[in-house]
Amino acid sequence: MNTLHLLPCMTSTIKATALFLLALIVQGCGEDSQKSTSENKTQMSHKMATGTLPTLSPIIPLEITSTVNPPTLESLQHDFDVFSWQSFIALNWPANADGSPNTNLTIGDQQGAPTVWQLWKESRDIFLPSGKKPPAWNQKDKLPTACQGLALDSLPSHAIYLTQVGKTPNVLDESEEPFQTGPLIDQNGQYTRFEILTNETMFNYIVDNQLYNKKGQKAFAKDTDFPSSNTQSKTVGSIMLKAAWVVMGEKYDARQFHTTQALVYNNPDEQPGVKPACHLETVGLVGFHIAHKTQDEPQWIWSTFEHIANAPTKGQPHSRSFYNYFNAACQDCAINQPPPRPWNPATPHTPPTQVERVIPITNEVKALNAAYHSALESAVAGSVWKNYELISTQWPTNANSPIDPTGAPAPSFLANTTLETYIQGEVPQTSSSCIGCHNNATTTAGLFSDFTYLLQRAH
């Protein structure tokens, strides 16, 4: 773990909630400390090797559950990674019409049916032109004219609307993220599409405080403080999601993806020079970020998942004959570089983006992935969710640090190959760090926006 060198030599007592304090990691900086760490790693490894499959539950976790006492950095990373998988399972549980989990089903039942998170609020329905108030939680804003002309009688209620094609202001509606960026081109030459969603708790905070427009943010006149999950009141706090979707085509097998119907829209207002166009497409999930604010992690817990076939890892043998974003036959393709301009989602772009994972998935996470894949297969044979894997979880190791507002994140860097394609690596202030980047986020009034750039989209 690349953050071990950051750990101070300190002592403290265990919190009643059994969560993370770094002070609990060691009792001293000597042989006794090393022995304790070794013993705790053994405890954790034993728990992983017992053969007991993880429990699949539709309940969103509110905090981590400590598995080693006293905890270590390694055991806490494991606990946060379990938290990530528990969140992924709960969010992708089949949903009732009102968005609650359907407890008569289990994850993997009814492929193509809506999941819990797919009935959450998309950012396009929160930050509207002219700063008007967004429609109620269970309602949507009207579709663009180009989409209204389609025959939508058979369109399912959970169909999504996708316009976002990258992370740069002149090609999409998400702005102000200070990184090298650009669209991501799939093996069919099509633009990967993105969306951002919030749960009802986060949506209500935005609406109640009129943060959906610039005027409201100016009047709010203080730092944003989204509600956090609370184990005492058993309430789910603010959760924000980012999803990446690939349009199904001749090179993709829809049976290997979680799919949905989507209105794929080319928006001239957000992509200058592009003519408005809308198409009804089947899209497959390839990337999934979960940001969850909890009481003990005010910097949020950042979990990132990907489709298992997205990209190979740099310097390692290729384990697959086909990747969603890598072509082994292309010997002179630039790796992890944005495509050359012009960027126009209406026109197929060749060659596809050549992507490699820069930071390998750890063996510990691979073992956890394998355990959850076994549980998913046991629950529903051939479950499509076996095709998704946790990359890692970033969390604050010292959430209440008086000198570091980021809380000394572990691991130091975290990147999803579909969502931070071009900023992978381990270069401070340059490579992707969820907490490090989002700590710089502000409202349109220039005040702290609580680790989200979402409020920058207000009109």
Side-chain angles (χ1 to χ4, degrees), residues 42-52 54 78 82 363-372:
T42 300
Q43 292 178 41
M44 185 173 62
S45 298
H46 175 72
K47 291 177 183 292
M48 286 296 296
T50 57
T52 303
H78 169 79
V82 170
N363 290 334
E364 290 79 9
V365 171
K366 288 180 180 179
L368 186 63
N369 287 340
Y372 272 94

Side-chain angles (χ1 to χ4, degrees), residues 39-165:
E39 289 173 349
N40 288 329
K41 289 182 70 176
T42 300
Q43 292 178 41
M44 185 173 62
S45 298
H46 175 72
K47 291 177 183 292
M48 286 296 296
T50 57
T52 303
L53 293 178
T55 300
L56 306 181
S57 170
I59 300 175
I60 297 173
L62 304 180
E63 279 290 0
I64 69 164
T65 300
S66 184
T67 54
V68 170
N69 185 12
T72 66
L73 182 61
E74 292 88 352
S75 74
L76 288 169
Q77 184 66 56
H78 169 79
D79 297 338
F80 277 99
D81 289 340
V82 170
F83 178 96
S84 293
W85 260 112
Q86 291 172 339
S87 302
F88 184 84
I89 296 297
L91 292 174
N92 285 294
W93 204 271
N96 294 311
D98 64 357
S100 62
N102 185 340
T103 54
N104 294 319
L105 300 173
T106 191
I107 183 173
D109 286 334
Q110 298 185 347
Q111 163 66 346
T115 61
V116 169
W117 70 271
Q118 285 179 259
L119 298 177
W120 286 7
K121 202 71 165 178
E122 295 180 46
S123 58
R124 65 167 294 270
D125 272 333
I126 302 175
F127 302 97
L128 302 174
S130 302
K132 69 177 182 179
K133 185 177 181 179
W137 171 253
N138 58 353
Q139 298 177 358
K140 293 186 176 182
D141 194 43
K142 65 178 182 180
L143 293 170
T145 303
C147 294
Q148 294 173 8
L150 299 177
L152 302 178
D153 294 341
S154 60
L155 189 67
S157 60
H158 64 279
I160 59 178
Y161 167 88
L162 298 173
T163 177
Q164 190 167 322
V165 297

